Amino acid sequence: MNTPLQPAEELALIDRELVQLDARRAHLLGRRDWLLHLLRMPAPAPPVAGAVPGTAPKAPAPSAQTVLLTLGAVLLAVAALAFTLVGWGSLGIVGRSAVLALLTTAAAAVPTLLLRRGLRSTAESVVAVALLLTLLDVYALHVVALPDTDPVAYAAWAAAALAALWAGYAVAPGRLRLPPVAAICAAQLPLPLAAAAAGADVAEGGWALLATAALDATLAVLVVRRAVRIPAASAAGLLGAGALTAALAAAVDSPGSVGPAALLAAAALLGVAVAWRAPKAWAAAVVGGLAGVSAVGALLPAGAGAGWAVAARVAVACALAAAVVRAPALPEPVRRGLLRAGVWTAVLAGLWAVPAAAVLLVSRLGVLTEVWAATTPHAEGITRGVALPVILLLVAAALARPAGALPARESRVAAVVCGWAALFTAPMLTALPVAGVLGAQLAVTAAAGAVALRVPARAVAGAAGVCAVVGALNLSVAALDGRAATFAVLGLLGVGGASAAAYGPAARPLRAGGAVAAVSYAAALLGALGALTGLSPAWIGVGLLALPAVVAAVGPRLGPVRGAAEAASVGVGVAAVALGAGDPTLLALVLALGGVICAGAALRPERRAALWAAGALGVLATWVRLGASGVTVPEAYTLPVTVLALAVGVLRRRREPATASWPAYGPGLAATLLPSLWALWADPHWLRPLLLGLGALAVTLVGARRGLRAPLLLGGAALAAVALHELAPYVVQLVGALPRWLPPALVGALLLAVGATYEKRLRDARRLRGALGRLR
């Protein structure tokens, strides 16, 4: 550390700065103690403005007028309660009506006085009592003056009168909130009750609901007052929903009738009109658009079928959306709502049609029960099902350009799926021959694959790729009905997969999928060829191994799709093993050939890991062949594993000399020693103990000679176990011949000897542990 100052000058400078730092630290510590003292003191209560110190603030004195009004209201309530409980029963019906009328008039007059004095809450309470009394007055009038009138018709007229009365009362006394709400609630009843009294059917009842909803919507749009607008809008929504439900029910009961269609059209006009006047009511335009679409569908006759009814609605929805797009002068709420109505109609139709198409495709799985039986009829479909692809095409057209009604990416993906489903299922629903159906579907599958490879948008390309895969699998199943169709379809699909894998500009996942398809269809062709020539499944499995061999040979030339092709070839190998499972001899051949293929692949540096698979397959092949030959000696199964594992351990220690002996040699030695020791105790002959003992001795000596812990310990333990096995009968005989007191005495003497020389034995154990620790 070099500085321009002399050492003495720099030392003095450092001392001065340290003194300043100490002074600053002392100041900050004092300030900290003072702040902690303030925080520990109780906080004084904030003073009240205008309050005298030492005195509590006084609450404002209650108004004398408020007290009097409250007491008066309580007394009136008590008097009314007493009259109701005591004197009401002594009056006749006329007297009761007169009393109710008098009470109603008084209750209606009191809120005006209360509002002048600013008692709005009290006025609202009294108004509630007045409104309740008007209901009782209406009931009394029916009982006294009009007892023979139809109750439903009287209720309709009474509701209209009460609505008008309460509406007028809402204006007279001032801005009370309860009267307009009550008036709107009463106004909902006259027309529906009148329709019910007249015996109207479902459609006529719907007209009554719609007319009432139109009045409510008019109030909600024209009146600014919140107490009127909100309940009117809520009532319009509820009654409009009821009218639509009635119209749809009538359309289902009598399809092709003009009445339900007219009701739906009127509801559509109402919804659009509301959205036209209200800037935020685009939901009303959505409902109107859906009602208009349903109105057109309701005009179709009953014989058209559900499919064509849905198709007509989707066509109208597409036309509606196109018209709205070309009409920029429409108000934004109307434009937004009608667009959403058109798109949502298409979405609902798609949710109805896509499962139907899926069921049609799944029905082809029945071919698997009778492969090459040629049971497919000349015409796969029936013409009356043509509505399904028409619906799917219309849905695809509507979703291709949703104009903001749906997210662009999701709508285009749905359009691709619906368009593919329409084109793929259309040949199945026409009178084409089987060859024509398969040819058309192959063309559609190829087109989907081309879209997946060439379209830059990932979402659309992925959807098209999935559609191509689903179509290929469905075609593969359908082609199994005939021999010629099987070879033609599988061959063309394999060529298509290879073409996709070789198309350089495509994304890597799509090319990898093409490689997997090419390998899979090549394996399917080999399997079909073997079945055609009458080979057994096991020999077909042997033939399938030619494909992994080819892939392993040309692997470096496959470029970026090499991994996918090799993974597919591994799947082919697994299928070959599964086919050979019924014949142990051929299964051993399949496993051995698989090991040879893996060993050949492992010759390349980047595929060294295949050497493990080669060894495992070789061992499995040996085991299967021994089992097929009836060999039960465990060493015949374990020695190949030991040889292979020890060879791998030797190679590993040569490459990494620091590797310990346990991971290098322990698994291989244990693979033979442990099963042989287990079999030793059940073997009454002398050959296995002799051979196992010699082998264990050799392993022990090698471990001691080379300083390897694993061979030394495992071989020594196995040698001790063999010796114990051989000496066990003689030890048992000796123990049986000795007196019974001698074994405990010998054990006691041994313990005494060990205890007397404990320190020496402990040092010996430590030296042994150190010696073992120095081994590798």
Side-chain angles (χ1 to χ4, degrees):
M1 297 176 63
N2 298 323
T3 61
L5 299 177
Q6 295 297 327
E9 295 176 356
E10 185 178 0
L11 181 60
L13 178 62
I14 292 174
D15 290 337
R16 286 195 301 271
E17 290 181 354
L18 289 175
V19 170
Q20 292 176 0
L21 289 175
D22 291 338
R24 180 62 178 168
R25 184 173 185 274
H27 170 72
L28 293 176
L29 289 175
R31 181 69 176 174
R32 180 177 181 274
D33 293 338
W34 180 74
L35 291 174
L36 290 175
H37 177 69
L38 287 180
L39 290 176
R40 294 190 185 100
M41 295 176 62
V48 180
V52 180
T55 61
K58 295 182 179 179
S63 171
Q65 186 180 17
T66 304
V67 173
L68 292 176
L69 289 173
T70 304
L71 291 175
V74 172
L75 291 175
L76 285 176
V78 172
L81 180 61
F83 173 75
T84 302
L85 295 177
V86 178
W88 183 258
S90 60
L91 297 177
I93 188 63
V94 178
R96 298 175 186 176
S97 301
V99 170
L100 283 175
L102 180 61
L103 291 176
T104 303
T105 304
V110 169
T112 304
L113 301 176
L114 295 175
L115 286 175
R116 290 175 183 176
R117 290 164 176 77
L119 302 174
R120 177 172 295 274
S121 299
T122 307
E124 293 282 358
S125 302
V126 176
V127 163
V129 177
L131 295 177
L132 180 61
L133 290 174
T134 55
L135 292 176
L136 296 177
D137 290 334
V138 169
Y139 172 73
L141 179 63
H142 179 263
V143 174
V144 174
L146 303 170
D148 298 329
T149 307
D150 182 14
V152 179
Y154 178 78
W157 287 105
L162 288 175
L165 178 64
W166 291 346
Y169 186 75
V171 178
R175 293 286 183 175
L176 291 172
R177 291 186 294 269
L178 191 56
V181 175
I184 292 173
C185 292
Q188 310 308 308
L189 300 177
L191 291 180
L193 289 177
D201 57 10
V202 176
E204 293 169 345
W207 280 107
L209 293 174
L210 185 63
T212 307
L215 295 176
D216 294 330
T218 302
L219 286 175
V221 171
L222 298 180
V223 178
V224 182
R225 187 179 175 185
R226 185 180 178 86
V228 176
R229 180 167 48 86
I230 293 180
S234 303
L238 290 176
L239 269 69
L244 287 175
T245 303
L248 293 174
V252 172
D253 290 338
S254 56
S257 300
V258 179
L263 180 57
L264 289 169
L269 292 176
L270 176 60
V272 174
V274 171
W276 200 292
R277 292 298 303 270
K280 297 181 180 180
W282 61 268
V286 173
V287 176
L290 294 175
V293 170
S294 300
V296 176
L299 292 174
L300 293 178
W308 287 113
V310 175
R313 288 174 171 84
V314 180
V316 173
C318 294
L320 177 64
V324 171
V325 170
R326 290 176 174 81
L330 288 174
E332 182 59 27
V334 177
R335 179 184 176 85
R336 185 190 306 177
L338 292 180
L339 279 176
R340 279 166 170 73
V343 174
W344 291 354
T345 301
V347 171
L348 292 174
L351 294 177
W352 178 86
V354 169
V359 171
L360 186 63
L361 297 180
V362 171
S363 64
R364 277 182 162 174
L365 295 177
V367 175
L368 297 176
T369 59
E370 294 179 336
V371 177
W372 289 354
T375 57
T376 302
H378 183 70
E380 280 204 3
I382 49 176
T383 56
R384 64 181 181 182
V386 177
L388 178 61
V390 172
I391 294 170
L392 290 169
L393 283 177
L394 291 173
V395 171
L399 295 180
R401 293 183 177 273
L406 285 176
R409 184 177 64 179
E410 286 77 2
S411 63
R412 288 170 184 166
V413 168
V416 169
V417 173
C418 291
W420 169 83
L423 297 175
F424 195 82
T425 56
M428 300 174 63
L429 298 171
T430 57
L432 289 175
V434 175
V437 172
L438 296 179
Q441 290 182 330
L442 279 170
V444 173
T445 303
V451 171
L453 294 174
R454 297 178 180 273
V455 173
R458 284 189 175 183
V460 175
V466 172
C467 291
V469 171
V470 174
L473 293 176
N474 192 263
L475 273 171
S476 303
V477 174
L480 295 177
D481 189 62
R483 291 179 174 83
T486 297
F487 287 97
V489 171
L490 295 182
L492 290 174
L493 291 175
V495 171
S499 302
Y503 187 67
R508 179 169 292 185
L510 296 175
R511 295 185 63 188
V516 172
V519 174
S520 302
Y521 280 110
L525 279 174
L526 288 176
L529 183 62
L532 183 65
T533 56
L535 294 177
S536 65
W539 278 111
I540 293 176
V542 174
L544 287 180
L545 291 179
L547 196 60
V550 172
V551 173
V554 301
R557 301 179 184 178
L558 297 177
V561 299
R562 178 183 179 184
E566 290 178 345
S569 67
V570 171
V572 174
V574 173
V577 172
L579 290 173
D583 190 338
T585 303
L586 292 179
L587 177 60
L589 178 60
V590 170
L591 292 172
L593 292 176
V596 172
I597 294 172
C598 291
L603 294 176
R604 296 190 175 94
E606 69 276 10
R607 291 293 184 266
R608 293 300 187 195
L611 187 61
W612 293 94
L617 289 174
V619 170
L620 289 175
T622 304
W623 286 358
V624 172
R625 191 66 186 88
L626 291 173
S629 302
V631 176
T632 59
V633 178
E635 288 78 9
Y637 297 90
T638 58
L639 281 175
V641 178
T642 296
V643 172
L644 178 62
L646 291 178
V648 172
V650 170
L651 294 176
R652 181 178 179 184
R653 282 179 59 83
R654 286 182 179 177
R655 187 173 53 188
E656 301 175 5
T659 304
S661 62
W662 276 114
Y665 306 127
L669 294 174
T672 293
L673 292 177
L674 294 180
S676 297
L677 287 174
W678 179 267
L680 178 66
W681 294 97
D683 190 354
H685 304 289
W686 59 272
L687 183 59
R688 176 177 276 113
L690 177 61
L691 295 177
L692 183 57
L694 292 176
L697 178 61
V699 170
T700 304
L701 294 176
V702 170
R705 176 69 178 82
R706 297 186 175 272
L708 300 176
R709 187 186 306 174
L712 178 62
L713 295 181
L714 287 176
L719 188 60
V722 172
L724 179 63
H725 174 267
E726 293 302 310
L727 294 176
Y730 303 103
V731 172
V732 171
Q733 293 177 4
L734 180 61
V735 170
L738 293 176
R740 295 190 176 184
W741 55 266
L742 186 58
L746 293 175
V747 172
L750 178 62
L751 291 177
L752 288 175
V754 172
T757 59
Y758 176 75
E759 295 296 334
K760 184 176 183 301
R761 300 292 173 256
L762 187 59
R763 288 193 299 270
D764 294 340
R766 288 173 179 172
R767 283 196 297 269
L768 178 61
R769 185 180 65 180
L772 291 176
R774 288 189 294 272
L775 298 177
R776 289 180 295 174

